[in-house]
Amino acid sequence: MNSTRIIGIILIVAGVAGLAFGGFSFTKETHKASLGPINLSVAEEKSVDIPLWASIAAIVAGAAVLVAGGSKR
């Protein structure tokens, strides 16, 4: 399997995952204060929404890469 097919498959899988989940969240830990041996930290949850158009564009681009990569033989 050559690299163009792998890139095309990764783009398609990423686009389908974006359509299925719609976004992801992660926890960001920030240290606000350090008073001697005591450290105060805040865990903040952030979420990132993946736009529908970006997911569809990734699927279309992945399909185009697969078609273009297969026709060069």
Side-chain angles (χ1 to χ4, degrees):
M1 198 179 265
N2 57 12
S3 62
T4 56
R5 285 189 177 201
I6 293 172
I7 291 171
I9 291 170
I10 289 172
L11 281 171
I12 291 173
V13 168
V16 169
L19 286 176
F21 297 115
F24 61 93
S25 62
F26 61 95
T27 303
K28 179 181 177 185
E29 187 173 327
T30 58
H31 297 284
K32 294 289 184 182
S34 178
L35 304 170
I38 300 172
N39 291 325
L40 300 174
S41 63
V42 176
E44 194 175 337
E45 187 171 334
K46 303 257 184 176
S47 64
V48 177
D49 294 328
I50 300 172
L52 180 64
W53 63 267
S55 299
I56 294 172
I59 293 171
V60 169
V65 167
L66 281 178
V67 169
S71 66
K72 289 185 177 181
R73 292 182 181 189

